[in-house]
Amino acid sequence: MHSTLRCLLHLRSPSLRRNLLSYAHIARPSIHGFSLPRVSFSSSTGILRRIGSFAEPAEEEEETKRKRFVSAYYDPVQGRVVTSEQRIDEVFGSSNHQVENFSRGVTEEEESGRSIWVRSAKQKGKEENTETPKFSSSFARRKGKSGKAKILYGCDNCGIELSQWWGVCPKCGVGTVVERGPDMSDVNPKRGAEVSEAAVRSWLPHKAGSAVPKTLAEVNMGRDQTDWRIPLAGLFGMEVSRVLGGGIVPGSLVLVGGDPGVGKSTLLLQISANIAEGSDSDKPSPVVYVSGEESIEQIANRADRMCITTDNLYLYSSTDIEDIFEKIQPLRPRALIIDSIQTVYLREVTGSAGNVSQVRECTSALLRFAKDTSIPVFLIGHVTKSGDIAGPRVLEHIVDVVLYMEGERYSSYRLLRSVKNRFGSTDELGVFEMSGMGLQAVANPSEMFLTDSNTESDVLTGLAIGVMVDGSRAFAIEVQALCVAGRSNARHVNGIQESRADLIISVLQKQAGLKLQDNAIFLNVVSGIKLSETAGDLAVAAAICSSLLEFPLPNDLAFIGEIGLGGELRVVPRMDKRVMAVAQLGYKRCVVPKSAEKLMAALDTDMIILGCKNLKDMIYSVFNQNMET
C-alpha cells in the first residue's frame, strides 16, 4: 500500500494529491482495523480511479470496531507517505451512530470525464435525522484569512471549553464534547441596532416585531399637542424653551456642545432642577443626572452653590451605558442627562470610551432608549480645537437637537444657539449671564452690547448705534470709530470684516468726498460681538463721519441700512423687526433707506423715521446743525 501511495504522490499533480489525501481520511474499518481503498492511475487521462471496494467488516463485536483508526498522509519533508493510528473512540466518541455514519462510505460522481469522491455522511445523516460527526483538527473550522471566527467546543458534563472537537472529554473522560458556537472574544457580531436593542432590552415595552404602521389619526388620538411638551418654569426656562422651540419634546435626544468652561454642565444641571421642581402645569418628577467626569459629591457641591435643593434630582456617577439603564429603571425618570457622551461606553463595542465606534454606538443606544420610553435625553459633547463636536460627524445626524453654547472668555454673557432642531426653528437664540448663582436669563439682550455713557453730554463723538439680527432676535449694537490725522493710512478693525470696512471707507472717499487718505482709522464693535451682516454698514459710516468731522451724534439716534458701491442705501431683511427693537430701547429717531421709509412709518411706534437715498443725503440730514429735534 505504501509503495502504491509513494508512486502516486511523486506525480506532479496537486489535484491528485488532494484526492489521495481525502482517500486517506475515508478509511473504512476492517476486521483488523482500517485499510485504504485500492486505487489506480491512468496515464492517458490523468484520472485517479478506484480499483476495488472497501472491505466489508465481518461479524465482529462493537468493541473491536472501535479499537484503531489508521490514517495516511504525504509528508513532503520525508518524501513519503506516513501512517498514524488513533483510537476511534477518541475521534468519534462513544456514540455508535457517529461511527456508522462515518463508515457508511462515499458516493461517486462522474463530471468532466473524471471521478470525484465526495463525502455523503452529512447528507445521509440529515435524511436519517442523525447527528453529523464532528471531526478533529483535519475538519475543525478555524479562523482564517477571511476573518471568520473559529468554532468553540465544550463538554456537556464538566463544562470545559476546547478549541477543537475531541469526542469524549479529555478532562473528565465521561462527558461528550459538543459544539457551542463561534468564538466572539475578538469578533463582535453585535453592531448598530443590535447593540442599542440589547442595551435597552429591559426597557422595551413590546417586542420589535409587534409594531405595525399606524395612521396619523391613530397616533394623535387622545393626545393634546399643547400639553405634549415638557414646560420649563421661570425666565431661565423661557429662554431655554425659546431655543428648543417651545419646550422639551418627550423622547427627544438633545446634544449640547461648547468650549471648555463655557457652562455646559451648569446649564444642564439647572435644566434638570427645573424639570424636577415642575411648573404650574406640570407636577414634580424625578430626573437623573449622570456624570462620567465628576463624582456625585462634586455635583452636589455645585448644586449647593447654585441653591438647588429639590428632592427629585438624582445624581449618579458611571460610564457604563448598560449599568446606567439598569440603575435608573426603578426610578422611571422624567429626563436623563449624560455628562458627557465621550466618557460612556458599551461593553459589546470594542475600543475605549470616546473613540468613533463607542461614541456612535452609545448615541444609537441612547436614541433607542429615548424613543422607546419617551424619556428625553440630554447629552454634553466636547469640542475640538476647530470648535466642532468631538467624535464622528454622524453624531450630529443621529440626535434630534444640536445646541451650541457660546461666550467670550472675559465676558459673563453666554449665548445658547440652535444649529439643528427637528421640533422647532433654528433661528432662535437664548441670552444668559453667568453669575455666582448659575446662569441667569437676560431680560433685555440689547444691554449686553451697549455701554453706559458716563459723560455729562447728551451726544457722543465717533459712536453710532446699529441693529443686527441673530436668529429671530434683534440686538442693538454700538460701533465706535476713531480717525487720527497726520499718520499713515493704517486701519485697525475689531468685530468687523476687514474687507467690509475697506469697502465702506472707499465709498466714503469716492462717493461722499471725505478726505480719509491721511488718517489712521480704528473701528471697534463694543462687547466683542462680530458684525457679520450688511445691516450695520450705515452705522459704521456714521461713526467714521462723526469722528472725522468731530461732530457728536445724538444718543437717541439709530442707523439701519446697507451701503452699495455707488453710495446708495439699500434695504436689509427684517427692517420692521429691527426698527421695533430700537424703539423698545427708547430710541426716538432712526435713519433708514428711502425705499423703506413709508413701510417703517406705518409701524405703531413713536419714532421719527428719516429716509435717505445715499451717503450724502445721510450726512446732510444727520450732521446738519439745523436738523429738527
Side-chain angles (χ1 to χ4, degrees), residues 97-98 101 121-123 125-126 130-135:
H97 70 271
Q98 292 182 356
N101 289 340
K122 186 174 182 179
Q123 298 176 357
K126 289 183 179 180
T130 58
E131 190 176 308
T132 304
K134 301 175 178 63
F135 308 119

Side-chain angles (χ1 to χ4, degrees), residues 168-398:
V168 179
C169 177
K171 181 179 180 181
C172 64
V174 178
T176 303
V177 177
V178 294
E179 180 179 324
R180 286 189 174 179
D183 182 9
M184 294 303 166
S185 60
D186 53 353
V187 179
N188 189 357
K190 291 184 178 181
R191 288 294 183 267
E194 297 182 9
V195 173
S196 61
E197 183 176 354
V200 299
R201 186 175 288 115
S202 59
W203 286 80
L204 299 180
H206 53 74
K207 295 183 179 180
S210 62
V212 294
K214 296 182 180 180
T215 64
L216 182 61
E218 292 175 345
V219 175
N220 292 328
M221 184 180 300
R223 186 178 66 178
D224 188 0
Q225 294 289 345
T226 58
D227 298 334
W228 181 47
R229 294 177 182 256
I230 301 175
L232 297 175
L235 293 177
F236 173 84
M238 292 176 60
E239 285 293 308
V240 176
S241 298
R242 179 201 302 272
V243 181
L244 292 176
I248 302 174
V249 175
S252 60
L253 187 61
V254 182
L255 177 64
V256 180
D259 295 333
V262 75
K264 302 185 295 297
S265 300
T266 301
L267 173 68
L268 289 187
L269 187 58
Q270 289 187 246
I271 293 176
S272 304
N274 199 306
I275 300 175
E277 292 174 355
S279 60
D280 296 337
S281 60
D282 191 43
K283 61 181 181 179
S285 303
V287 178
V288 179
Y289 186 99
V290 181
S291 177
E293 303 174 349
E294 299 177 282
S295 64
I296 58 176
E297 291 79 12
Q298 293 172 332
I299 305 173
N301 184 30
R302 187 168 70 249
D304 181 68
R305 190 171 64 251
M306 298 165 57
C307 298
I308 296 176
T309 59
T310 177
D311 295 333
N312 291 320
L313 179 59
Y314 293 84
L315 307 179
Y316 187 55
S317 180
S318 178
T319 56
D320 189 347
I321 288 292
E322 297 182 23
D323 174 66
I324 294 172
F325 290 156
E326 181 181 355
K327 292 299 191 302
I328 69 174
Q329 183 176 3
L331 300 175
R332 294 290 171 178
R334 188 69 181 274
L336 173 65
I337 284 81
I338 303 294
D339 184 8
S340 64
I341 188 60
Q342 281 81 14
T343 60
V344 295
Y345 69 93
L346 276 171
R347 303 171 191 170
E348 292 84 357
V349 180
T350 58
S352 59
N355 66 6
V356 174
S357 301
Q358 285 287 359
V359 171
R360 181 180 61 250
E361 299 301 339
C362 289
T363 307
S364 299
L366 290 168
L367 176 67
R368 184 168 179 81
F369 166 80
K371 301 307 178 186
D372 291 336
T373 61
S374 296
I375 297 176
V377 179
F378 288 82
L379 309 177
I380 290 181
H382 295 165
V383 296
T384 60
K385 292 181 179 180
S386 61
D388 299 327
I389 294 180
R393 191 66 178 179
V394 70
L395 175 63
E396 300 183 32
H397 293 279
I398 293 177

Side-chain angles (χ1 to χ4, degrees), residues 394-431:
V394 70
L395 175 63
E396 300 183 32
H397 293 279
I398 293 177
V399 300
D400 298 315
V401 181
V402 180
L403 305 179
Y404 272 88
M405 200 167 186
E406 304 172 0
E408 295 293 332
R409 176 175 298 181
Y410 304 106
S411 175
S412 61
Y413 293 102
R414 301 290 186 268
L415 302 179
L416 185 62
R417 193 185 307 274
S418 174
V419 297
K420 175 187 177 181
N421 192 353
R422 290 174 178 166
F423 316 113
S425 174
T426 57
D427 294 334
E428 299 296 340
L429 184 71
V431 183

Side-chain angles (χ1 to χ4, degrees), residues 45-266:
T45 61
I47 299 175
L48 188 67
R49 296 184 179 277
R50 182 177 64 175
I51 297 177
S53 59
F54 289 102
E56 294 294 336
E59 296 180 359
E60 54 182 279
E61 296 181 357
E62 194 70 24
E63 293 294 330
T64 307
K65 290 170 55 180
R66 298 193 199 174
K67 285 184 179 180
R68 293 186 305 141
F69 174 80
V70 181
S71 62
Y73 62 92
Y74 177 74
D75 188 352
V77 177
Q78 302 181 17
R80 63 186 183 87
V81 176
V82 180
T83 60
S84 63
E85 297 182 1
Q86 189 177 2
R87 289 180 58 85
I88 192 171
D89 56 356
E90 294 179 357
V91 179
F92 300 107
S94 58
S95 179
N96 293 337
H97 70 271
Q98 292 182 356
V99 178
E100 293 175 0
N101 289 340
F102 183 79
S103 62
R104 203 167 268 126
V106 295
T107 61
E108 182 177 354
E109 294 181 1
E110 296 294 335
E111 182 181 355
S112 302
R114 56 177 165 177
S115 300
I116 302 176
W117 293 82
V118 295
R119 190 178 302 275
S120 62
K122 186 174 182 179
Q123 298 176 357
K124 292 186 178 181
K126 289 183 179 180
E127 295 173 359
E128 300 177 9
N129 195 21
T130 58
E131 190 176 308
T132 304
K134 301 175 178 63
F135 308 119
S136 59
S137 58
S138 300
F139 299 96
R141 286 176 286 179
R142 300 178 181 274
K143 184 176 178 181
K145 295 181 179 180
S146 61
K148 295 183 179 179
K150 64 182 181 181
I151 302 300
L152 283 182
Y153 301 89
C155 177
D156 58 1
N157 181 47
C158 63
I160 186 176
E161 291 188 356
L162 302 171
S163 60
Q164 61 181 2
W165 191 82
W166 286 94
V168 179
C169 177
K171 181 179 180 181
C172 64
V174 178
T176 303
V177 177
V178 294
E179 180 179 324
R180 286 189 174 179
D183 182 9
M184 294 303 166
S185 60
D186 53 353
V187 179
N188 189 357
K190 291 184 178 181
R191 288 294 183 267
E194 297 182 9
V195 173
S196 61
E197 183 176 354
V200 299
R201 186 175 288 115
S202 59
W203 286 80
L204 299 180
H206 53 74
K207 295 183 179 180
S210 62
V212 294
K214 296 182 180 180
T215 64
L216 182 61
E218 292 175 345
V219 175
N220 292 328
M221 184 180 300
R223 186 178 66 178
D224 188 0
Q225 294 289 345
T226 58
D227 298 334
W228 181 47
R229 294 177 182 256
I230 301 175
L232 297 175
L235 293 177
F236 173 84
M238 292 176 60
E239 285 293 308
V240 176
S241 298
R242 179 201 302 272
V243 181
L244 292 176
I248 302 174
V249 175
S252 60
L253 187 61
V254 182
L255 177 64
V256 180
D259 295 333
V262 75
K264 302 185 295 297
S265 300
T266 301

Side-chain angles (χ1 to χ4, degrees), residues 508 511-513 538 545 557 559 566-569 591-595 597 609-624 627:
L508 286 173
Q511 306 297 340
L538 193 56
C545 294
L557 180 63
F559 299 85
E568 74 278 8
L569 302 186
V591 179
V592 299
K594 189 68 175 181
S595 57
E597 182 179 9
I609 304 298
L610 303 176
C612 301
K613 295 181 180 180
N614 48 42
L615 284 176
K616 289 183 178 181
D617 193 7
M618 184 272 296
I619 295 174
Y620 177 80
S621 300
V622 173
F623 296 97
N624 185 5
M627 183 182 65

